[in-house]
Amino acid sequence: MNVIDVLNKEQLKESIPEFRPGDTVKVYSKVVEGGKERTQMFEGVVIVRKGGGAHESITVRRVAHGVGVEKSFLVHSPRVEKIEVSKRGIVRRSRLYYLSEKIGKAARIKEKKAVKQ
Amino acid sequence: MKNILGRKVGMTSVFTEDGRYVPVTVIEAGPCTVVERRTKESHGYESVALGFGAVKKARVSRALAGHFKKQGVEPTRFVREFRNDIDGVEVGQTVTVAGFEPGDRVDVVGISKGHGFSGGIKRHNFSGGGASHGSMIHRQPASNGDTNAGRTVKGSRRPGHYGVDRTTHQNLEVVKADTERNLLLVRGPIPGPKNALVVVRKSVKTKAGA
């Protein structure tokens, strides 16, 4: 394996939960405010997951106080502490950009019911 | 000493400790040996010559072989001189990336990639003409300048051979120095193709303490 591949591999986090676009996730990220560092949680629907390796990023969308907010995170960034999956959604495409044009009930995503093991 | 010779490996991106995701060029640097120490008394100026890369003894020219023998060091493939940041460096000493720290500023010298015979657009960033509407001037250099001069002014930018020039990128940030694998990660691009020799030296423009 060449040096660049080794370096890229070292950047990856060991475990990231399995999730897809349409799922609702909680992203815990570190933010620096006024010289202090704290963890901020952002919960919303994953509308796109793109890039590979250490460059992989997700865009999470939520409606806060009637305003749509989309935030992008680098999945393997040390600033992203943890990602939790809270809901699985049923969607038929990999990029849910159509959600930003829909409001209210139309912007809902059907939830996948847990399969009994 | 923040001077070293290396081989350009390629580019990637890495996370820094403060959480930034930065584009870096990976340089396989050193270990180098100090093959000569020039002093004011012997040569009229102060410098240190570093050697880098293994070489078969039979491939070393006689002139260079004699040079190495005189200094009592093993022959190396490349030899380059450095004139800054050389205090207390002795012949035979080994130079590694251990001398570098994240945040250091360095200049990287290399031979730029060859582009062959190139037009003005690629070589000098000319704008080019219109693509359609009967323009007929597409990628041509167009005007040659003042007609009152009655001649072409010297140094005017023309199509011609582009690349394979000694090029320096100044004031680049060292992102990481990996002593185990002899790697130096420098922010941003550096001149030259992969596997080419690059010279990393202490930045000449960064002031002390900056």
Side-chain angles (χ1 to χ4, degrees):
Chain A
M1 206 156 52
N2 73 41
V3 180
I4 301 252
D5 289 340
V6 174
L7 279 174
N8 286 342
K9 225 171 187 175
E10 284 169 6
Q11 306 285 315
L12 303 182
K13 283 183 187 166
E14 276 166 21
S15 67
I16 281 167
E18 195 192 314
F19 63 91
R20 322 182 48 234
D23 295 348
T24 304
V25 294
K26 285 179 185 167
V27 182
Y28 295 84
S29 62
K30 283 184 211 161
V31 287
V32 177
E33 259 175 14
K36 273 186 191 169
E37 198 177 71
R38 65 183 186 86
T39 304
Q40 192 180 57
M41 194 268 281
F42 188 84
E43 182 171 23
V45 180
V46 178
I47 61 170
V48 55
R49 188 171 181 181
K50 61 184 173 185
H55 195 69
E56 184 177 357
S57 73
I58 56 171
T59 301
V60 182
R61 178 183 170 82
R62 67 170 291 203
V63 177
H65 306 292
V67 184
V69 179
E70 286 175 13
K71 256 185 144 176
S72 297
F73 299 94
L74 284 162
V75 173
H76 292 280
S77 166
R79 284 215 182 134
V80 172
E81 271 185 346
K82 178 169 70 162
I83 298 175
E84 278 175 4
V85 183
S86 42
K87 264 187 231 169
R88 303 272 178 193
I90 300 174
V91 289
R92 300 179 69 160
R93 54 211 71 216
S94 64
R95 273 136 215 251
L96 312 178
Y97 296 130
Y98 68 87
L99 281 182
S100 32
E101 289 153 25
K102 310 248 179 209
I103 311 159
K105 281 192 174 179
R108 283 173 305 172
I109 286 177
K110 259 192 201 165
E111 196 180 338
K112 204 186 265 180
K113 296 284 179 311
V115 185
K116 275 182 191 168
Q117 299 282 323
Chain B
M1 184 165 89
K2 295 188 200 309
N3 297 311
I4 205 162
L5 301 174
R7 181 179 75 91
K8 175 168 166 179
V9 177
M11 289 193 72
T12 183
S13 301
V14 295
F15 290 104
T16 59
E17 278 182 11
D18 50 356
R20 290 179 302 151
Y21 191 49
V22 293
V24 293
T25 306
V26 182
I27 302 169
E28 197 185 307
C32 296
T33 44
V34 177
V35 296
E36 200 189 348
R37 181 82 174 88
R38 296 192 164 180
T39 58
K40 194 121 196 171
E41 295 79 55
S42 60
H43 288 85
Y45 64 98
E46 296 279 333
S47 86
V48 156
L50 293 186
F52 172 63
V55 66
K56 280 187 188 169
K57 276 201 173 136
R59 300 256 183 225
V60 183
S61 73
R62 291 216 179 154
L64 262 180
H67 191 74
F68 286 118
K69 202 176 166 189
K70 187 179 164 194
Q71 301 291 335
V73 290
E74 285 290 300
T76 54
R77 186 156 167 217
F78 303 104
V79 177
R80 294 289 182 277
E81 259 184 87
F82 295 88
R83 297 180 65 168
N84 283 330
D85 196 24
I86 53 173
D87 293 341
V89 180
E90 307 277 328
V91 172
Q93 194 181 325
T94 307
V95 176
T96 65
V97 293
F100 295 86
E101 274 175 27
D104 285 347
R105 295 292 177 159
V106 292
D107 296 340
V108 178
V109 185
I111 305 290
S112 63
K113 274 184 185 173
H115 291 75
F117 191 101
S118 304
I121 294 182
K122 189 188 280 274
R123 192 172 182 224
H124 301 299
N125 300 326
F126 288 170
S127 305
S132 59
H133 297 298
S135 131
M136 294 171 77
I137 296 170
H138 302 302
R139 293 178 68 92
Q140 292 179 23
S143 167
N144 192 24
D146 186 8
T147 54
N148 283 338
R151 61 186 170 86
T152 301
V153 181
K154 281 219 167 146
S156 78
R157 295 169 300 165
R158 291 296 184 85
H161 184 262
Y162 177 39
V164 203
D165 292 317
R166 179 190 157 101
T167 308
T168 308
H169 271 215
Q170 291 183 327
N171 205 14
L172 299 173
E173 178 191 342
V174 173
V175 174
K176 197 179 168 190
D178 190 330
T179 43
E180 271 169 41
R181 289 174 293 193
N182 290 316
L183 298 180
L184 195 63
L185 272 56
V186 171
R187 188 185 166 133
I190 64 172
K194 287 173 192 168
N195 297 322
L197 174 77
V198 290
V199 177
V200 181
R201 63 179 193 211
K202 191 184 178 190
S203 174
V204 290
K205 285 200 173 160
T206 310
K207 294 185 182 79

